[in-house]
């Protein structure tokens, strides 16, 4: 994987919020990259490294919720999360690229983390 820290951004349409994130990225040596629906079929690694490569497991569909995928941020991850809290930029769906998810496409990742988020915020209502 590329060494440059990168934040993949999905569906962030509010200019003020997008500009805050992009400004943070520029000031901290992080590449900020908007991902369009036409790129959802590509693997997260391909999006991160700037290639055009299909994911190993392509999940069809799309989504309209905001999502951030943080790639290779290291210690900058904590700074970024603190920045989001301080600036009140609430984007509940956030993930870090890992060995497990790096070959997923954006829709697969979205499905996984939105389900995790739903379970965490709603608790276990089956009991």
């Amino acid at each position: 994987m590329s060494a440059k820290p990168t934040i993949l951004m999905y569906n962030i349409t509010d200019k003020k919020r997008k500009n805050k994130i992009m400004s943070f990225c520029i000031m901290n040596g992080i590449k900020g990259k908007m991902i369009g629906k036409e790129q959802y079929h590509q693997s997260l690694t391909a999006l991160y490294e700037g290639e055009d490569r299909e994911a190993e497991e392509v999940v069809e569909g799309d989504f309209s919720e905001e999502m951030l995928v943080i790639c290779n941020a290291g210690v900058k991850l904590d700074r970024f999360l603190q920045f989001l809290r301080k600036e009140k930029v609430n984007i509940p769906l956030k993930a870090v690229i890992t060995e497990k998810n790096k070959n997923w496409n954006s829709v697969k990742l979205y499905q996984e983390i939105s389900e995790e988020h739903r379970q965490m915020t709603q608790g276990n209502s089956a009991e």
Side-chain angles (χ1 to χ4, degrees):
M1 279 188 205
S2 169
K4 179 139 177 112
T6 303
I7 297 175
L8 305 177
M9 298 180 282
Y10 297 79
N11 301 314
I12 301 174
T13 56
D14 180 88
K15 258 189 178 168
K16 187 174 180 181
R17 291 160 43 88
K18 183 166 49 175
N19 288 342
K20 281 183 180 185
I21 294 170
M22 291 303 280
S23 293
F24 176 87
C25 289
I26 291 166
M27 291 177 0
N28 288 276
I30 298 171
K31 180 179 179 182
K33 185 174 182 183
M34 291 299 299
I35 304 300
K37 292 185 187 306
E38 69 281 358
Q39 297 171 291
Y40 286 6
H41 66 283
Q42 295 179 27
S43 72
L44 296 173
T45 301
L47 293 172
Y48 168 50
E49 293 180 346
E51 301 172 5
D52 186 7
R53 187 173 66 220
E54 291 280 329
E56 286 178 5
E57 179 183 353
V58 175
V59 177
E60 294 298 325
D62 65 23
F63 56 94
S64 58
E65 289 181 79
E66 294 178 329
M67 181 171 79
L68 298 173
V69 180
I70 300 134
C71 313
N72 198 36
V75 295
K76 294 179 181 183
L77 173 61
D78 285 336
R79 265 189 266 160
F80 180 63
L81 296 175
Q82 289 171 356
F83 167 80
L84 292 177
R85 280 190 293 277
K86 179 180 170 237
E87 295 295 321
K88 295 179 179 22
V89 178
N90 184 26
I91 299 174
L93 300 181
K94 292 183 275 302
V96 174
I97 198 166
T98 66
E99 282 299 313
K100 181 179 178 180
N101 67 20
K102 70 180 185 178
N103 293 314
W104 293 357
N105 72 356
S106 299
V107 176
K108 168 83 172 153
L109 180 68
Y110 165 77
Q111 290 174 347
E112 292 288 326
I113 68 172
S114 63
E115 177 59 21
E116 287 176 13
H117 182 262
R118 186 192 64 76
Q119 288 178 8
M120 288 173 38
T121 56
Q122 293 180 352
N124 189 350
S125 57
E127 293 180 12

